[in-house]
Structures are given as structure tokens and as C-alpha cells.
Amino acid sequence: MTLLRHGAVYAPEPLGVRSVLLVGGQVARIGLVDEAAVRALGLPYEVIDVAGGLVIPGFVDPHEHFIGAGGEKGFRTRMPEVSFEQLARAGVTTAVGCLGTDGVTRSLEALVGKARQLTEEGITALVYTGGFHIPPRTLTGTIEGDLVLIDLVVGVGELAISDVRSSQPHLDELARVVASATVGGRISGKAGVTHFHAGPGRGRLSLLHALLDTHEVDPSCLYITHANRTPELMDDAIALAHRGAYVDLDTVDPPLGPWVRQYRERGGPPARLTMSSDAHTPGAHPGRLREELAALVRDEHLPLEEVLPYFTANPASALRLGRKGRLAPGMDADVVVLDERTLEVAHVFARGRALVREGRLVSREG
């Protein structure tokens, strides 16, 4: 058991200064905690005073390249794998890995293996099956099979559209992929999302609008990333968000402030916007999430409670991770404490286990 005392809790809505009790990998209580009653249980517990800290849910990163991306300018431009240490220090307690462009020298088997490694080390790591191209690569032979039979698979993607690197899919091909992911998700009780890589092409998101216009598709199963390429693409993504899709901004080209302003000023639904690190593509790393959160609060002067859901509750909702992204009794004990003044990571807990204390990585044997 761990008791966090005297921190300002954002769940992500502001709850004021409260104590947070973590028991057995879950949040047990938020509010007044009777320490005498805790001691009376006779179980080992730790009390950490986090006065001057902001207690928030762990970051949920919906788009990472666990086994590296890049390589599009030759093999010397290949990026390395994402490490557990990077994720922990960044306050990322849940992340989803994808293949990206290279489905030749990188494989789904390696991606799943890396996700299992990260999970054993302490992070909740999930994956998308497939990749940039149609027909998607799978592990069992079908998208539905991967979703139903492989516990870590939550959807298919990132599937490229409006990009010279895509397979230039036809509308009916897209519809079949989305339908397969949706059915697999329903059978397995998972999100079953199709995660779309939006390229810089002139078609923008017209294929997805046409998909909703002409096929029986649940719009909440469409999850578009890289919407922050151009103002026109962002407007197109906002229109899809109004139809029920989820929209993701990556941190490859910071700052995100102007894009968030555009989304908000054009009336984008707040609950449909998410942020992802896109690590490890060139220039992107997991720590960018915290950096962009800090920039939105400091430079854009946006209230923490308004922007924090983009990094926590919203991606958890998009991915149907019902125990992630929020602080409440019964939720997973994925908790980050930020220094109230600097917004740097001070403490990180994932499923109740301490990963970072006072800004330092906890020994894996500790």
C-alpha cells in the first residue's frame, strides 16, 4: 500500500488537496484517509508527502513505435527501440505500439515481444495489428483473430491514407478493414479501432468522410493521427470529430499550442482530442507528452484540467481502456506526481508499483 498525502489531485478534473491511497494495484480511496485504520491492517505501507505536487493520472500514449521507426532515408536512419526507462521517466504508464511504414524488416512478432517486455517491466503496453498497408499483416491470419486471440491487440493500424507511402486503398477495402476491426473488438470486448495515419496528400480525410457517408461504420472506431500537418487537415479532422471519430495530434513538430487553439476555436469536441508522442520517429520521444502538457499550461495559459484529458482520459476512452486515464476508486493505480512549479515528473506509479521517486528511476529489483 502507498499513501500519497497533501497533493493537489486532478482526476483529471480538479479535486483539491487530497490523499490518494493505492492498494493492490488499484486506487482504493481519494480524500481523507484514516492512517490509524491503515496501520491496523498490519500490512506494509508507505506514506509519501507530495505537498507542492500535482497528482494526475499516468499518461496514456496511443501511438508509439516500440521497436523503432524511421529508415525511410536508408538503413542508417533507422530509429532504436523505446526503452522502459524512457517511458517511466516520462510518466507514460500506458502505451500502444505500431509498426508504421516498415513492415519488411520489422515484424508484428517483434512488436508484440517488445510490448510483453515493457509490460513485465511495469508499463501497460498494447499494440495495433497491421501497419501502413492493405491488406494488413496479421499474426493469426485475420484482423478479427488477432483481436480475439491476442490479449495485447486493441485495434489495427496505423493504416496510411493520403500519403505516397500508403497502398492507395479503395473505399471498399477500407470498409472491410474497419468492419473486421469492429467485429473483432466486439467479440473480444476491446476497442477494435482502426488507427489511421493521415498523410499530407491533397485528399486529406475525404476517404473517411466517404466511408461514413456510404457504409455502416461506427465513427467512434475511427482514430485519426497526425492531424497537425496543415490547417486544412486539422479542419477536416475536426469535421470528423463532430461525426464521432477521435483525433490525435503527434509531438514530432512542437509546439502543439497553435493546433490546440485551432481545434478549440473551431469548436472541436473536447472529448475527442488526444495527444501521442509518436516515439521513436526521428525527433520524437515519450517525454514530449509532458513537455507539451507543460507548454499548453504555461505558454498557452490553458487550465490544467482542460488540457490534461487530452493526455489521459481521452486516449483511454478512444481505446476503451476503462480502468485507465482517470483517478477514482477501482481504477488502475497509474499515478504521476508533477512538481507544481516546474511541472517536471517527481513520482510515477504504474499499477501501484513505484517506477520513479523524486525524479529518479527506481531500481527494478527494488
Side-chain angles (χ1 to χ4, degrees):
M1 294 188 293
T2 303
L3 178 62
L4 305 176
R5 295 192 306 184
H6 305 144
V9 179
Y10 287 78
E13 64 276 6
L15 301 182
V17 176
R18 296 285 188 273
S19 292
V20 180
L21 180 63
L22 313 180
V23 179
Q26 295 184 13
V27 177
R29 184 176 179 83
I30 299 176
L32 294 175
V33 175
D34 186 343
E35 291 189 43
V38 172
R39 288 194 297 272
L41 294 175
L43 300 173
Y45 76 99
E46 179 181 19
V47 177
I48 303 176
D49 193 310
V50 293
L54 306 175
V55 183
I56 66 172
F59 294 122
V60 179
D61 192 346
H63 183 114
E64 290 197 15
H65 296 271
F66 291 160
I67 55 176
E72 294 180 34
K73 296 182 180 179
F75 291 113
R76 64 184 176 81
T77 65
R78 288 165 59 91
M79 296 293 292
E81 292 188 353
V82 174
S83 71
F84 165 76
E85 290 81 0
Q86 289 175 305
L87 292 164
R89 290 183 185 278
V92 175
T93 54
T94 302
V96 188
C98 56
L99 277 185
T101 312
D102 184 0
V104 178
T105 68
R106 295 181 174 95
S107 69
L108 288 173
E109 290 84 356
L111 181 65
V112 169
K114 180 64 177 182
R116 294 203 185 282
Q117 174 191 343
L118 293 171
T119 297
E120 288 190 7
E121 290 176 312
I123 303 298
T124 298
L126 306 165
V127 302
Y128 300 110
T129 192
F132 257 40
H133 304 115
I134 287 181
R137 292 172 179 265
T138 62
L139 292 162
T140 65
T142 66
I143 294 169
E144 296 101 315
D146 283 10
L147 275 156
V148 173
L149 300 176
I150 301 174
D151 55 339
L152 302 186
V153 175
V154 294
V156 60
E158 56 176 312
L159 183 62
I161 57 173
S162 295
D163 197 306
V164 296
R165 297 167 292 174
S166 81
S167 54
Q168 312 306 321
H170 294 293
L171 188 60
D172 287 346
E173 292 178 304
L174 281 186
R176 283 191 286 272
V177 169
V178 171
S180 295
T182 300
V183 171
R186 293 194 176 189
I187 293 172
S188 61
K190 300 175 185 174
V193 298
T194 304
H195 191 51
F196 286 98
H197 161 109
R202 59 184 178 275
R204 296 194 287 273
L205 303 177
S206 57
L207 270 175
L208 301 189
H209 285 288
L211 190 66
L212 293 177
D213 290 339
T214 60
H215 290 75
E216 298 299 323
V217 170
D218 179 357
S220 69
C221 290
L222 307 183
Y223 195 2
I224 301 96
T225 191
H226 311 317
N228 50 318
R229 292 189 188 274
T230 67
E232 294 78 15
L233 179 60
M234 176 63 84
D235 281 342
D236 214 0
I238 292 169
L240 273 176
H242 279 295
R243 301 184 72 171
Y246 284 90
V247 172
D248 182 64
L249 311 182
D250 67 67
T251 67
V252 174
D253 295 309
L256 293 183
W259 301 107
V260 172
R261 280 202 309 273
Q262 180 179 347
Y263 188 91
R264 292 162 65 94
E265 290 169 359
R266 302 294 176 88
R272 297 289 169 172
L273 182 64
T274 75
M275 308 288 175
S276 67
S277 71
D278 201 10
H280 266 165
T281 52
H285 56 83
R288 281 275 176 84
L289 289 177
R290 187 211 58 81
E291 292 170 5
E292 288 301 316
L293 175 66
L296 290 173
V297 173
R298 288 177 178 166
D299 302 338
E300 301 297 328
H301 308 291
L302 294 172
L304 177 61
E305 62 266 27
E306 291 186 15
V307 296
L308 184 56
Y310 305 156
F311 302 83
T312 57
N314 291 1
S317 176
L319 297 168
R320 317 294 200 273
L321 303 177
R323 297 168 62 90
K324 304 291 187 181
R326 300 188 59 82
L327 298 181
M331 302 292 282
D332 283 353
D334 296 341
V335 183
V336 172
V337 180
L338 301 177
D339 183 279
E340 188 172 29
R341 183 178 58 85
T342 65
L343 297 183
E344 296 282 349
V345 171
H347 303 276
V348 178
F349 296 85
R351 300 194 302 275
R353 174 191 170 193
L355 304 184
V356 174
R357 296 179 188 271
E358 302 292 348
R360 295 186 296 275
L361 193 70
V362 175
S363 168
R364 298 188 202 184
E365 289 76 29

